[in-house]
Amino acid sequence: MTRDELSLYLDDHLQVARIKDYCPNGLQVQGKPIIKTLVSGVTASLALIEEAIALKADAIMVHHGWFWKNDDARVVGQLHSRLKLLMDHEINLFAYHLPLDVHPVLGNNAQLAKVMGWKPLKQSERASLGSASVMDGLIWEGRPEASQKTLGQLARSISGRLGRDPLVIGDLNKPIKRIAWCTGGAQGYINEAVSMKVDAYISGEVSEQTFHAAQESGVAYIAAGHHATERYGIGALGEFVAQKYKLKHQFVDIPNPV
């Protein structure tokens, strides 16, 4: 398919125009006009670009792209190295940040729930609990799998399925009936999760103040890894596009302990 067709389709499918973000979503770097091979990955790192070149990719699709709001606007250093390699090989770079987080099927929150066996609450259920409009759907809410009845069981399940031991704040014997989650660096939303009256909140990272918020509110907190919680949305998006347009696709996981 053509680069422009893919760009228009994804912008529409992910409703890019309606979401205010900290970076440009969609086509960030123009490459070859025809796309046959697509590589997806979490972050547009130098290592991912090198893997894409080895796989003879025409396009890379990521969750964490470039040109963030407070970045240095100059093309020097790290950005120069990445951009030069990408442009030398005429590889397109597509990036979808918040639009991918909130997508109801392919998004990071939706795909993490699928991996973990969590059952998201329906809109009507959320409304009855007073949390339907929290963060405009950025924070998801639901019920854990039957095998995750305590905080300790939930943490062990996360460790086993994500392949990373999480940091856990709270009593491991605490019963868990209702949870909230937001992938990536969303520890700052813990107070919104507290307002939802859930038993535990799961995100990717942790800050010093997160500990006190969890301890004082009684809502348990699990930091399951920024990279670990956001591996699934971009891979699902890449596979979805590949099947729809008969492209060759490969998700490349560049290990990251954060």
Side-chain angles (χ1 to χ4, degrees):
M1 69 180 308
T2 70
R3 172 192 63 234
D4 295 340
E5 285 175 332
L6 179 59
S7 180
L8 288 171
Y9 174 76
L10 287 173
D11 284 356
D12 179 65
H13 190 73
L14 297 175
Q15 299 182 43
V16 165
R18 81 172 184 86
I19 298 174
K20 186 177 180 180
D21 210 338
Y22 322 105
C23 61
N25 287 287
L27 181 64
Q28 290 192 337
V29 179
Q30 179 178 311
K32 299 170 185 174
I34 302 298
I35 297 172
K36 296 179 180 179
T37 301
L38 172 67
V39 161
S40 62
V42 177
T43 299
S45 64
L46 190 65
L48 181 64
I49 297 170
E50 290 171 341
E51 286 290 332
I53 292 168
L55 292 167
K56 302 186 187 314
D58 304 304
I60 299 173
M61 185 183 295
V62 297
H63 179 50
H64 301 137
W66 302 338
F67 316 116
W68 298 90
K69 183 178 180 181
N70 295 319
D71 279 355
D72 186 341
R74 298 173 300 165
V75 181
V76 297
Q78 183 185 44
L79 179 59
H80 175 270
S81 299
R82 292 174 172 181
L83 187 57
K84 184 177 187 304
L85 191 59
L86 194 74
M87 294 187 73
D88 282 348
H89 290 83
E90 294 188 277
I91 299 174
N92 295 281
L93 177 64
F94 294 87
Y96 299 96
H97 186 232
L98 292 184
L100 183 62
D101 283 322
V102 303
H103 193 274
V105 178
L106 300 171
N108 285 318
N109 285 329
Q111 290 295 313
L112 181 62
K114 184 177 179 180
V115 170
M116 291 304 307
W118 300 336
K119 184 179 180 182
L121 295 185
K122 296 178 181 178
Q123 188 72 5
S124 58
E125 294 177 290
R126 297 188 67 178
S128 69
L129 293 167
S131 57
S133 62
V134 173
M135 303 298 292
D136 193 26
L138 188 57
I139 298 178
W140 282 42
E141 183 178 1
R143 295 186 174 87
E145 211 176 57
S147 62
Q148 304 164 358
K149 292 181 179 179
T150 68
L151 181 61
Q153 290 175 336
L154 177 60
R156 285 192 292 274
S157 182
I158 288 173
S159 176
R161 297 186 195 189
L162 302 191
R164 180 189 186 280
D165 290 335
L167 184 148
V168 184
I169 301 172
D171 180 356
L172 296 180
N173 294 314
K174 175 183 174 69
I176 303 296
K177 295 181 180 178
R178 196 156 52 90
I179 60 174
W181 64 94
C182 183
T183 65
Q187 67 271 34
Y189 298 151
I190 188 169
N191 290 326
E192 283 78 9
V194 170
S195 74
M196 297 163 75
K197 296 181 172 57
V198 295
D199 301 305
Y201 174 52
I202 303 98
S203 187
E205 296 188 30
V206 66
S207 298
E208 189 273 344
Q209 61 266 34
T210 314
F211 171 80
H212 302 292
Q215 288 287 90
E216 293 168 19
S217 68
V219 173
Y221 180 74
I222 296 179
H226 193 140
H227 178 85
T229 57
E230 295 197 324
R231 285 181 303 201
Y232 306 103
I234 196 66
L237 179 62
E239 192 58 31
F240 173 79
V241 169
Q243 291 186 11
K244 182 176 179 63
Y245 291 106
K246 296 180 173 56
L247 304 177
K248 183 178 179 181
H249 167 251
Q250 184 167 330
F251 171 72
V252 175
D253 189 17
I254 305 296
N256 187 331
V258 176

